[in-house]
Amino acid sequence: MTLETPATPHDRIDSAEQATQLERTWHSPGGLLGWFTHVNQRMIGKRFIITAFIFFLLAGILGILIRLQLAGPEQQFIGPELYNQFFTMHGTVMMFFFAIPVMEGFAIYFVPLMVGTRDMAFPRLNAFGYYVYLIGGIVLFGSLLLSMAPNAGWFNYVPLSSKLYSPGYGVDVWTTMITFIEVSALTAAVELIVTTLRMRAPGMSLNRMPLFVWAALVMSFMIVFAMPAVIVSSTLLILDRLVDTQFFIVEGGGEPLLWQHLFWYFGHPEVYIILVPALGMISTIIITFTRRPIYGYTALVLSVVAIGFVSFGLWVHHMFTTGLPQLGMSFFTAASVTIAIPSGVQIFCWIASLWGARIRFATPMLWVLGFFAIFVIGGLTGVMVASIPFDTQVHDTFFLVAHFHYVLIGGAVFPLIGATYYWWPKITGRMMSETAGKWSFWLAFIGFNVTFFPMHQLGLEGMPRRIYTYVEEMGWGDLNLLATIGSLVLATGFGVTLINAIWSVLRGRRAEPNPWGAPTLEWAADSPPASYNFRHIPVVESRWPLWDWEQAGERAVVTGLRHDRREVVLTSVLDAKPVGVQVLPAPTIWPFVSAVAASMGFIGIIFHPIFFVIAFFLVAFTLVAWFWPRRPWRDD
Amino acid sequence: MKVVQGFDVSDMTRFNPDQRAPLWWGILGLITIESAVVLTFCVSYMYLAAYADTWPPRGESAPPMLWPSINLGLLMLSSLTMYLAGRAIKRGNQRGLAIGVTASVLLATTVLVLRSLELMAYEFSWKDHAYGSIVWTISGFHYVHVTSIVFGSAVVAILAWRGYFTRQRQIGVVVDTNYWYFVCFAWIPFYLLLYWGPRVYGQ
């Protein structure tokens, strides 16, 4: 131990050169090569968020193209083949390459800040996860440019996706890249769990954890238990396609329905994996913009946990029309309706929090209120389609398309944009324009409803999903035209936010550390935070530390961490008592090299199974280099 | 705002060889994820079996029991040597650690050899029917895992012989041991399913 015992504790706290030393220890290397060595959680989080929003933009453009194709009857704007690729890519990218990574990105950026620590538990693994995501995304989107994009729908049902009905590389790209990118989702999930459970600031017991951190924790657990199912299912499918196994081939004794079970066992929780962090964002925003403690903290936490559990018991409601036993289907109807209860608890807690409060209608709050309107409609149609007779009628119609866009855009994208406005000053150190924010909200809100509300009616009139055109006699033309106009308005709304963001980075007003007057720890850091997040690790005594400090005029901190290497405090799981100190690894190129080696395997097996063996050993060697202890061996 | 001292952590340990270490939780996370994969494979096997007319398909007999049972014994034995290796380094016995890990690696390598011979002797291919597909896939899945622990633990053994691990600096061993247990014990459900399953199910 090289730390000198100071004369008084305050000497230790106020030493000016400490900040410089901390910066030297925690800063990320510069230069192009340095870029590939970054392990800092804020860098990785920001990369996840930006990359995910680029995919949102790209998949959004595909959505607009789909709407343009459907704007009028018998259009030849894009042919059926391209149309199939577009809706498959739109769904796949939005679910796998936008929604989960962006939520994880926000969690990676903000969970360490909100729990008051300096980085995540496994900084190098974090970087590895990002490169996996980036490479997977580029390959998947690249396949579209090479006209070998997947075209069997984001659910990729067999036998449509089997070699017989989907020849070519499209489905292979889908299965390998989905498996690959789940690796990234899983590494982030484990990181978030360990960081949340072991690295919270002293005093932040579980019942003082910010609601967004709770939501991120539940999301991570859901990822850990849901993703393996899609990894297994896509592995079985790729084996069927590449080495002629018979898992889903009826003639060989295979079972196509096994695909649907495995896929939806993952796919249904997936919807809630996206929703749950959004619920955390909403609570966070409501607390700040009503400036009072939220109503029903415990009820909110328990209902998020309950949603996490129940969501695993719903998958069969995607399969009501496949001829499963009636008793089983009834169980899944009951389970599907049950999830309305914790969701309802959430909504009522939020209403109670808003009730009688002096609400500040800043842009983040507007997006939250928009969420209320849209998500409640989506939830209600969800209860409708959970009923077997109704589902049998509207299954695979535009009613479903309307329903899940209400849930997903209302439930995830609106809170997400709200959270982006809310946390923007923390990430960039600059404010976004409120006027543009409000324009963006209203355009998106109106555009959204004009786009998707008519789809309920189209579905009831019998318009199936995934068709590339329809004849005039069906009478679906007017509503489709309306929906297409709506989609352009919606896109304009999001476009305004994009311009707002770029404008803010260039010449936005500088932000103070806590511009909204929020109570959680991330606002105790600078805007944007220093490489080490906090000069002093805070000690927490309630759920609203910043409001407490404001009142008390002082705050307690942890002392005794070394500044010349990356040290963080470890605390106990339940009550966050300090139990030890962990030294975190420094920047290195190995996570990047490892990710490249792994991607060689995942891309290579599309063409030949031998790449699996090659990549297996390549990755193994890179991992050894990654973990190999450097001399001198540390001995304190 | 005035900043006052709350906790002083200068004297706390920087070595966390147990549940305090993030890495301990990290490997637990990996094991949880992989256990979910193991479970999903088992469920897939049972699902295919439940919907098949006969299991294994007509003309196929259930695979012989002898060699997989020996493998089971060898894997359990290797877990024991691994456990002893871990106990040795807890007492600071570096030589005991090195010998224990090396013994485990050799035992698991034997398993790989035996499994290779056994797989080559299978009378059916993964292409023949869903039964063949799932048996080969589960076998391959476990085979790859045994290969990975052999590889990873060989590295641990090299470091152990070079004296890297000490009573304090042993988290690498703890993590490796835990993952080793997982891979060995994952063989139990697979073994029951692949070798006892057809016999119980077929009658």
Side-chain angles (χ1 to χ4, degrees):
Chain A
M1 177 74 30
T2 55
L3 198 83
E4 286 170 16
T5 317
T8 70
H10 286 88
D11 289 340
R12 191 177 283 180
I13 285 170
D14 291 330
S15 147
E17 66 203 61
Q18 279 176 6
T20 335
Q21 171 93 63
L22 272 173
E23 183 58 42
R24 216 176 304 140
T25 305
W26 287 87
H27 91 283
S28 304
L32 184 64
L33 201 63
W35 196 92
F36 292 96
T37 65
H38 291 184
V39 292
N40 180 292
Q41 131 264 339
R42 287 181 309 102
M43 299 279 185
I44 308 294
K46 208 151 68 175
R47 287 177 189 177
F48 263 106
I49 296 171
I50 293 172
T51 315
F53 271 118
I54 291 173
F55 283 123
F56 178 66
L57 180 72
L58 293 173
I61 291 171
L62 293 181
I64 297 288
L65 292 174
I66 291 170
R67 277 317 317 164
L68 289 175
Q69 164 64 28
L70 292 174
E74 292 174 78
Q75 292 214 86
Q76 291 302 323
F77 173 55
I78 41 177
E81 178 47 36
L82 216 48
Y83 184 85
N84 288 348
Q85 293 190 6
F86 283 4
F87 79 69
T88 300
M89 289 290 281
H90 173 75
T92 306
V93 173
M94 284 297 192
M95 294 300 270
F96 291 105
F97 293 79
F98 163 63
I100 294 181
V102 81
M103 292 302 181
E104 287 192 323
F106 269 94
I108 288 170
Y109 194 101
F110 284 106
V111 163
L113 283 164
M114 290 178 108
V115 303
T117 186
R118 286 187 169 147
D119 206 323
M120 294 188 77
F122 315 111
R124 291 182 176 181
L125 186 67
N126 213 4
F128 172 80
Y130 173 73
Y131 293 121
V132 163
Y133 165 53
L134 181 67
I135 296 171
I138 290 174
V139 171
L140 187 83
F141 233 95
S143 72
L144 194 60
L145 303 178
L146 300 173
S147 299
M148 48 189 268
N151 59 0
W154 90 278
F155 41 80
N156 225 9
Y157 283 169
V158 288
L160 176 62
S161 59
S162 65
K163 208 159 56 173
L164 183 63
Y165 298 103
S166 287
Y169 291 120
V171 175
D172 300 328
V173 171
W174 190 94
T175 44
T176 49
M177 286 307 115
I178 291 306
T179 310
F180 191 43
I181 195 172
E182 297 319 346
V183 172
S184 152
L186 285 164
T187 55
V190 172
E191 293 255 11
L192 287 166
I193 292 173
V194 180
T195 307
T196 308
L197 293 184
R198 304 296 316 190
M199 291 165 65
R200 299 197 304 277
M204 188 185 279
S205 50
L206 281 184
N207 62 354
R208 287 177 187 164
M209 232 160 64
L211 285 161
F212 178 73
V213 178
W214 265 112
L217 183 67
V218 172
M219 167 190 81
S220 306
F221 272 107
M222 293 175 72
I223 289 176
V224 163
F225 289 106
M227 296 290 178
V230 75
I231 290 185
V232 170
S233 57
S234 45
T235 304
L236 300 187
L237 182 59
I238 195 79
L239 288 172
D240 265 12
R241 293 180 57 91
L242 296 180
V243 295
D244 298 311
T245 53
Q246 306 285 322
F247 289 110
F248 305 121
I249 318 277
V250 177
E251 294 77 24
E255 268 296 323
L257 268 190
L258 176 61
W259 169 267
Q260 290 199 30
H261 279 298
L262 291 178
F263 184 81
W264 287 118
Y265 176 79
F266 141 81
H268 199 85
E270 155 96 346
V271 176
Y272 291 89
I273 288 169
I274 296 166
L275 174 69
V276 159
L279 301 178
M281 292 168 170
I282 292 160
S283 300
T284 310
I285 291 172
I286 287 180
I287 293 166
T288 298
F289 291 93
T290 56
R291 210 183 151 71
R292 59 182 193 180
I294 198 145
Y295 178 87
Y297 173 92
T298 313
L300 282 167
V301 170
L302 290 178
S303 56
V304 166
V305 175
I307 287 174
F309 271 104
V310 180
S311 69
F312 280 88
L314 313 183
W315 81 90
V316 167
H317 76 212
H318 294 265
M319 301 166 65
F320 280 159
T321 57
T322 58
L324 295 171
Q326 197 67 45
L327 185 67
M329 301 214 301
S330 307
F331 171 83
F332 283 94
T333 289
S336 308
V337 176
T338 306
I339 206 151
I341 297 171
S343 311
V345 169
Q346 297 255 333
I347 303 267
F348 283 117
C349 283
W350 291 325
I351 292 176
S353 299
L354 295 169
W355 201 272
R358 206 177 304 144
I359 306 169
R360 238 185 321 158
F361 290 99
T363 308
M365 197 62 212
L366 279 187
W367 290 93
V368 166
L369 295 175
F371 152 87
F372 276 106
I374 296 173
F375 183 72
V376 168
I377 295 177
L380 288 177
T381 53
V383 174
M384 287 163 78
V385 295
S387 134
I388 298 167
F390 187 80
D391 182 74
T392 316
Q393 282 299 311
V394 299
H395 190 83
D396 270 347
T397 69
F398 261 76
F399 190 89
L400 260 291
V401 179
H403 158 67
F404 70 69
H405 279 91
Y406 265 79
V407 177
L408 291 170
I409 297 188
V413 179
F414 270 61
L416 181 71
I417 307 280
T420 307
Y421 275 92
Y422 177 67
W423 277 319
W424 187 263
K426 183 52 63 189
I427 299 177
T428 63
R430 306 221 179 219
M431 304 298 288
M432 279 214 258
S433 153
E434 278 289 294
T435 318
K438 283 171 182 157
W439 271 96
S440 172
F441 167 75
W442 284 109
L443 283 169
F445 184 76
I446 294 167
F448 172 83
N449 283 293
V450 175
T451 310
F452 293 101
F453 202 81
M455 291 188 190
H456 291 110
Q457 181 61 28
L458 282 170
L460 293 173
E461 288 175 16
M463 179 169 165
R465 44 196 290 211
R466 306 181 202 112
I467 50 164
Y468 85 102
T469 194
Y470 48 90
V471 292
E472 195 169 356
E473 289 71 30
M474 300 308 294
W476 299 331
D478 293 346
L479 285 179
N480 268 305
L481 182 62
L482 186 65
T484 304
I485 294 170
S487 70
L488 294 171
V489 178
L490 176 62
T492 313
F494 289 138
V496 171
T497 289
L498 178 65
I499 294 166
N500 197 358
I502 295 170
W503 179 86
S504 159
V505 170
L506 296 178
R507 40 186 66 179
R509 186 163 57 80
R510 295 228 176 253
E512 313 97 76
N514 190 2
W516 310 111
T520 38
L521 284 180
E522 78 271 31
W523 302 101
D526 297 337
S527 298
S531 309
Y532 44 87
N533 286 352
F534 301 96
R535 171 115 176 254
H536 307 291
I537 300 299
V539 174
V540 173
E541 272 143 21
S542 78
R543 282 174 196 155
W544 329 106
L546 267 69
W547 290 346
D548 292 348
W549 298 342
E550 213 173 73
Q551 276 200 325
E554 66 168 32
R555 62 200 188 94
V557 297
V558 174
T559 53
L561 285 177
R562 273 171 57 167
H563 299 96
D564 56 344
R565 62 185 192 192
R566 301 182 172 218
E567 290 195 341
V568 292
V569 182
L570 298 175
T571 50
S572 59
V573 175
L574 295 179
D575 45 9
K577 290 210 171 81
V579 293
V581 175
Q582 181 69 33
V583 186
L584 296 179
T588 169
I589 193 80
W590 286 108
F592 174 71
V593 178
S594 244
V596 170
S599 62
M600 272 181 56
F602 279 94
I603 300 165
I605 53 165
I606 297 175
F607 305 100
H608 199 283
I610 190 71
F611 281 97
F612 174 80
V613 184
I614 298 173
F616 177 83
F617 286 103
L618 271 183
V619 171
F621 281 111
T622 59
L623 289 183
V624 173
W626 171 338
F627 284 107
W628 193 258
R630 308 292 190 276
R631 281 177 193 273
W633 295 334
R634 205 155 59 73
D635 52 357
D636 62 325
Chain B
M1 192 177 298
K2 214 172 100 191
V3 176
V4 297
Q5 181 172 1
F7 277 104
D8 188 0
V9 294
S10 353
D11 296 330
M12 281 190 163
T13 173
R14 265 62 176 167
F15 288 107
N16 304 286
D18 48 18
Q19 288 92 319
R20 277 172 298 176
L23 207 53
W24 190 92
W25 290 76
I27 209 71
L28 185 66
L30 178 64
I31 291 174
T32 310
I33 291 165
E34 294 226 44
S35 301
V37 171
V38 167
L39 200 66
T40 313
F41 272 127
C42 292
V43 168
S44 304
Y45 181 98
M46 290 190 270
Y47 188 90
L48 290 170
Y51 281 86
D53 295 330
T54 55
W55 193 264
R58 245 176 277 287
E60 304 289 0
S61 47
M65 293 282 298
L66 179 63
W67 290 107
S69 307
I70 292 175
N71 282 330
L72 181 69
L74 288 175
L75 286 173
M76 293 302 118
L77 189 62
S78 76
S79 292
L80 181 68
T81 49
M82 207 61 179
Y83 168 77
L84 293 175
R87 272 219 349 204
I89 197 61
K90 277 201 184 79
R91 291 192 309 268
N93 177 355
Q94 293 183 319
R95 199 178 161 75
L97 169 77
I99 294 172
V101 177
T102 310
S104 305
V105 168
L106 292 177
L107 284 167
T109 310
T110 317
V111 171
L112 283 181
V113 173
L114 293 179
R115 282 295 280 161
S116 306
L117 294 174
E118 189 199 343
L119 289 176
M120 279 191 279
Y122 270 171
E123 283 163 1
F124 52 87
S125 150
W126 56 86
K127 295 180 185 177
D128 294 349
H129 33 60
Y131 171 78
S133 307
I134 191 76
V135 169
W136 273 95
T137 304
I138 289 178
S139 300
F141 175 78
H142 196 258
Y143 190 98
V144 169
H145 277 76
V146 178
T147 312
S148 75
I149 55 169
V150 164
F151 189 91
S153 302
V155 175
V156 171
I158 292 169
L159 284 170
W161 285 110
R162 295 173 64 171
Y164 170 73
F165 296 106
T166 61
R167 193 195 299 225
Q168 283 192 307
R169 197 165 46 224
Q170 56 153 300
I171 183 66
V173 176
V174 173
V175 165
D176 187 54
T177 316
N178 286 351
Y179 193 65
W180 187 283
Y181 296 151
F182 160 73
V183 172
C184 292
F185 283 84
W187 182 241
I188 296 178
F190 285 157
Y191 167 78
L192 291 175
L193 212 52
L194 295 184
Y195 300 98
W196 289 89
R199 291 181 165 76
V200 175
Y201 196 85
Q203 280 154 23

